[in-house]
Amino acid sequence: MPHLLYIESSPRKQRSASIEVARTFIDAWQAQHAIATVDTLDVWNTPLPEFDGAALDAKYAGIQGIERTPEQAQAWAQITELAQRFVSADIILFAVPMWNFGIPYKLKHLIDVVSQKDLLFTFDERGLNGLLDGRKVVVIAARGAPLDRAEHQIAYLTTWAEMVGIDEQYNIVIEKTLLGPEVDAESRSAASKAAVELAASL
């Protein structure tokens, strides 16, 4: 059964361009897969564990092969549960507004929590070995205006995908969302069309 993990990272909800186009993608993808399932992870409404204290100690206990204390084991169980939502997905869909040339801090928080050894990757003397091979990533990236400098939105998520072993990534960019209602609507429309076409191929 095809399964999609949808990660929503805009707090604007009904006004969000990234959410609007991502939902268009989901509707089109589900139309192609009658028994498909979708897991929505809204980073603004999902409690994300802090990565300090027992959680940080649990990470290093695992790396060093030391038995975790009950408190550390409980913290790691929360992190493992979140990471499992990535492991269970065939497609990971990110709806991402650009904040200061990068991604919202809540999305960074999620990625920092789940991207752990033996959960999404391993490593040895040869380097990193991702554990999510065979999955696909789709990034719906919204930007207020065209960029004339380096971006750390799609670039960051591409690096992350490669780290966890995903080499099949598709990007849809919605630009000029702050350049007036008509330009915004045109950009959303073009991106939505691209999302429907992409969904039909996955």
Side-chain angles (χ1 to χ4, degrees):
M1 179 185 301
H3 181 62
L4 183 148
L5 173 61
Y6 167 45
I7 300 173
E8 187 171 285
S9 60
S10 173
R12 298 184 76 219
K13 305 312 175 192
Q14 298 303 318
R15 297 175 296 166
S16 167
S18 63
I19 292 175
E20 179 181 324
V21 176
R23 288 177 177 168
T24 297
F25 176 91
I26 291 170
D27 289 344
W29 183 77
Q30 287 186 300
Q32 298 288 324
H33 305 279
I35 59 172
T37 55
V38 175
D39 174 18
T40 298
L41 199 170
D42 178 352
V43 298
W44 296 94
N45 291 300
T46 300
L48 301 175
E50 295 297 326
F51 202 74
D52 60 4
L56 192 59
D57 290 341
K59 168 182 177 171
Y60 284 101
I63 291 173
Q64 296 165 7
I66 300 171
E67 184 178 355
R68 294 183 174 110
T69 67
E71 183 184 14
Q72 291 168 2
Q74 182 178 10
W76 202 250
Q78 289 181 295
I79 292 167
T80 301
E81 184 178 359
L82 268 178
Q84 186 59 42
R85 296 171 74 171
F86 289 77
V87 174
S88 298
D90 299 296
I91 296 176
I92 302 170
L93 170 65
F94 290 95
V96 190
M98 175 172 279
W99 285 21
N100 294 313
F101 308 105
I103 64 176
Y105 67 92
K106 286 280 190 178
L107 177 56
K108 181 65 164 54
H109 183 175
L110 171 66
I111 290 173
D112 284 344
V113 167
V114 300
S115 301
Q116 302 299 330
K117 181 179 181 292
D118 299 327
L119 297 183
L120 300 190
F121 66 89
T122 62
F123 61 80
D124 54 29
E125 65 278 358
R126 296 168 297 175
L128 288 169
N129 304 291
L131 297 177
L132 298 187
D133 56 300
R135 279 86 171 170
K136 301 176 178 69
V137 164
V138 177
V139 177
I140 310 293
R143 303 170 183 175
L147 289 180
D148 59 358
R149 65 196 70 205
E151 61 89 18
H152 305 280
Q153 183 188 31
I154 290 175
Y156 176 82
L157 292 171
T158 299
T159 301
W160 172 82
E162 292 171 350
M163 181 187 76
V164 298
I166 302 173
D167 58 11
E168 191 170 347
Q169 178 170 327
Y170 304 89
N171 305 313
I172 296 174
V173 179
I174 316 152
E175 287 188 325
K176 306 177 183 178
T177 60
L178 297 178
L179 301 186
E182 291 185 5
V183 176
D184 181 22
E186 182 179 341
S187 297
R188 293 182 189 225
S189 177
S192 294
K193 181 180 178 181
V196 170
E197 292 174 353
L198 177 59
S201 70
L202 298 181

